[in-house]
Amino acid sequence: MKALSILVLTLAAAASHAAAAIGIGVVGGGGGTPDPQPISATVYATDEVTFNGTVTNGADLVEIDITTPGNEEVATLTAYPDADGNFSVIWFPPVDSTYTVQAETYLNGTELSKQTIGFVSAIRPDAAGHITGGGWYNYPNGKDTMGFVAQVLSNGSIKGNFEFQDHEGLMNFKSTSLDWVYAPTCTDGYFTGYCKLNGSGNYRFFVHVVDNGEPGTSDSVDFSVYDPNSGALLFSYSKTFSHGNVQIHCK
């Protein structure tokens, strides 16, 4: 397999945390160049992680595969290098865990290289904040509805609930508990907990909401549902409300 050069793993952090750039060198081997050891990085679960790199083997496609310690897939990010081989992909870490990151390159559908490039540990900031909201997203033949309350009380305990209904797909996620709330700005809010699907099971969920203005100006919600044991991604959703409101209650 020919060489894949990933020049920089850039961690573009949320506004409350500093960004970091980590050089990890040539990856993929080839030309007698040994593979470097995978890098290690720690980010907050609320950070955007941007992978910037350059391929040197003429690949026309790069896949960044992110897996849990149990080798369950969390995300596959696809990028198409430009004429100089440069590419960039963005990943939003879900629940706190340590993830393995691999890079694969392809040319006309044929794999050229595969290499573990790093291990990224996502941690959660201390809980703080109060988030409420609800609304729906319209489809031509149906709609999704949702509502939520997530709050850190004065005694430090977490209170709230979350429910999402896909009326067309007949899926209902309803929280059984919340264990973390974080609202670092008047725009972004995050919360996590456990939920049931259609009244059964026990799943981990992560929600990110955006309050773009009042009342309900293009507010959005992103959430993901995971197997609580393996960390495998089971369901993901990202929409801007057709009608509704997200409210980050700022002090």
Side-chain angles (χ1 to χ4, degrees), residues 197-218:
L197 169 58
N198 295 339
S200 64
N202 181 45
Y203 305 99
R204 194 87 168 92
F205 72 87
F206 180 98
V207 178
H208 172 212
V209 296
V210 178
D211 182 355
N212 279 317
E214 302 304 325
T217 305
S218 299

Side-chain angles (χ1 to χ4, degrees), residues 8 34 85 102 128 137 139 151 155 169 181 192 210 233 236 239 249:
V8 178
Q102 289 188 318
Y137 178 80
Y139 292 100
Q151 182 179 9
N155 64 3
V181 181
T192 63
V210 178
L233 177 65
S236 63
K239 296 293 183 184
H249 299 268

Side-chain angles (χ1 to χ4, degrees), residues 86-117:
N86 300 315
F87 69 91
S88 179
V89 292
I90 294 174
W91 174 54
F92 193 84
V95 294
D96 41 322
S97 186
T98 297
Y99 301 93
T100 300
V101 184
Q102 289 188 318
E104 301 174 22
T105 60
Y106 296 86
L107 178 62
N108 298 324
T110 300
E111 182 180 299
L112 300 180
S113 66
K114 181 176 182 179
Q115 174 70 26
T116 297
I117 62 173

Side-chain angles (χ1 to χ4, degrees), residues 132-136 145-149 163 216 219 241 243-247:
T132 59
W136 62 84
T145 60
M146 67 196 73
F148 44 86
V149 176
E163 185 168 8
D219 293 347
F241 283 149
H243 182 81
N245 188 36
V246 171
Q247 183 70 59

